[in-house]
Amino acid sequence: TEKENLANQTLTMARSLRYDGGIIRSSILLGDIYARTNRTEQALQAYLEAEAKVISSGNRAAQLTVQTALGDLFFQEKLYAHASRYYHEVLVLRPNDYRIQEKIGDAYLLDMRFDSAEYFYKQLIIKYRDEGNNPRLVQIYQKLANAYDQNGDAGKSLYYYLPIEDLVERFGTSQERGLLYNNLGRQYAALRDFPKALEYFQKAELQCVYITCDYPEVMFANMGIALHNTGDSKRGIEYLLKARAILAARTDKAALSNLEHLIATVYFSNNDLYNALIHNNESIRFAKETKQY
């Protein structure tokens, strides 16, 4: 592009004159152009050239720009340790930059360094709590809850879901409450506290009386398993079949394969071998059709 050609010409001229200020500005501009057009290696080269000059130049604003850009570039490439290193350098120069603190927390979280992530997120939690910024507070708690959930730590995930529950029940919409109750039910189910799981799935179902639920089949399946695990397999199967009807109407064969297997398991655990066999065969058929088998 014309802008890119001009930046390259300016950079070449600045190099020939050994004009560090021109090299810094042109390299940053080129880095931004390359980053926006997903030319990661070229962006990295441009930003690193700027970095080599910027620290000795004493241009603090340019240094912050370059180090933030390098952090973002490494974060995008999932090189989280490199990203957090650059973000930390920014934080040394600008200690109260909460946006950068969150980026550091995100990098640590995705690098599975949960304790370090919590350290930075907790500072944000204090800030947003003092400001009464409930939407941002929920977002930070949700990041931690999701991370522990995906890592299989239902107890720690629940620890962060509980303050979300307090905020959403006071300030949230019916849709947000429905989603939250379903998530809380899942955590209790993972902890094998099935009565508590059922309580939250029922609360999620109640929200769907007032709003259109996004994924009713998920809620019905969760309810079905919770009812089965609390000794009411008959009603549990009714809910599982409701979920099955939704997936069948959508012809979602991959999801049907998993659900049919679940239904077969519930029937088998209740010694209904006839229905267990029927649904198991359906599970196999859908799995073959979607190449999961």
Side-chain angles (χ1 to χ4, degrees):
T1 65
E2 186 178 340
K3 197 172 185 180
E4 183 181 333
N5 291 335
L6 184 61
N8 270 309
Q9 289 170 18
T10 307
L11 180 58
T12 301
M13 189 181 299
R15 284 171 180 159
S16 67
L17 296 171
R18 296 182 180 178
Y19 173 41
D20 287 354
I23 292 171
I24 291 166
R25 283 193 295 274
S26 301
S27 295
I28 290 173
L29 179 57
L30 275 172
D32 291 346
I33 292 167
Y34 292 142
R36 281 198 301 270
T37 51
N38 296 317
R39 287 177 281 175
T40 306
E41 287 187 21
Q42 289 168 284
L44 181 60
Q45 288 172 0
Y47 288 136
L48 287 174
E49 182 169 2
E51 184 191 29
K53 300 291 184 183
V54 80
I55 295 173
S56 58
S57 75
N59 186 336
R60 180 170 164 153
Q63 186 178 345
L64 286 165
T65 299
V66 171
Q67 289 171 334
T68 302
L70 282 164
D72 290 345
L73 203 62
F74 282 119
F75 189 95
Q76 179 189 313
E77 293 301 302
K78 300 182 180 179
L79 297 168
Y80 301 120
H82 291 296
S84 60
R85 179 171 69 84
Y86 277 104
Y87 291 146
H88 271 292
E89 289 178 8
V90 173
L91 210 56
V92 168
L93 295 173
R94 206 160 51 197
N96 294 320
D97 190 328
Y98 291 102
R99 185 176 61 90
I100 291 296
Q101 285 187 25
E102 186 167 352
K103 286 186 176 188
I104 296 173
D106 292 347
Y108 280 136
L109 199 67
L110 291 165
D111 204 29
M112 309 290 281
R113 296 172 64 184
F114 295 136
D115 288 347
S116 298
E118 282 184 289
Y119 172 79
F120 285 95
Y121 285 145
K122 280 177 180 175
Q123 294 179 62
L124 295 170
I125 286 167
I126 292 166
K127 168 184 165 60
Y128 295 135
R129 189 186 290 146
D130 290 345
E131 292 175 354
N133 190 340
N134 296 315
R136 291 294 288 126
L137 197 53
V138 168
Q139 286 173 356
I140 300 298
Y141 282 131
Q142 191 70 61
K143 284 183 182 185
L144 287 160
N146 287 345
Y148 282 111
D149 184 19
Q150 290 162 13
N151 199 45
D153 190 341
K156 201 66 188 281
S157 181
L158 182 61
Y159 175 81
Y160 285 109
Y161 266 121
L162 291 176
I164 296 175
E165 181 183 16
D166 176 58
L167 290 165
V168 169
E169 286 196 329
R170 284 192 289 149
F171 307 109
T173 63
S174 291
Q175 198 145 16
E176 288 167 339
R177 282 193 289 273
L179 181 62
L180 171 70
Y181 294 145
N182 193 60
N183 286 335
L184 280 163
R186 284 195 310 102
Q187 303 314 314
Y188 280 114
L191 292 166
R192 305 192 69 76
D193 186 343
F194 298 117
K196 200 74 175 171
L198 179 58
E199 177 189 326
Y200 277 102
F201 290 140
Q202 286 171 331
K203 289 172 79 169
E205 184 185 25
L206 187 61
Q207 296 302 310
C208 294
V209 173
Y210 307 106
I211 58 163
T212 302
C213 289
D214 290 334
Y215 303 102
E217 70 280 10
V218 174
M219 182 195 66
F220 289 146
N222 285 336
M223 278 284 290
I225 294 303
L227 283 162
H228 166 65
N229 284 321
T230 50
D232 194 349
S233 296
K234 184 180 177 183
R235 281 185 64 221
I237 287 169
E238 288 173 7
Y239 274 96
L240 291 170
L241 292 176
K242 283 184 186 180
R244 182 183 181 277
I246 293 171
L247 294 176
R250 218 168 51 216
T251 326
D252 188 342
K253 293 181 179 180
L256 275 167
S257 174
N258 293 325
L259 185 61
E260 291 284 11
H261 177 70
L262 207 54
I263 295 169
T265 303
V266 173
Y267 275 121
F268 183 77
S269 69
N270 283 278
N271 295 315
D272 187 341
L273 302 184
Y274 174 77
N275 278 307
L277 184 60
I278 288 174
H279 288 283
N280 189 60
N281 287 339
E282 284 291 274
S283 175
I284 293 169
R285 179 170 72 85
F286 286 128
K288 285 180 177 177
E289 288 178 11
T290 53
K291 296 182 170 58
Q292 298 180 75
Y293 193 76

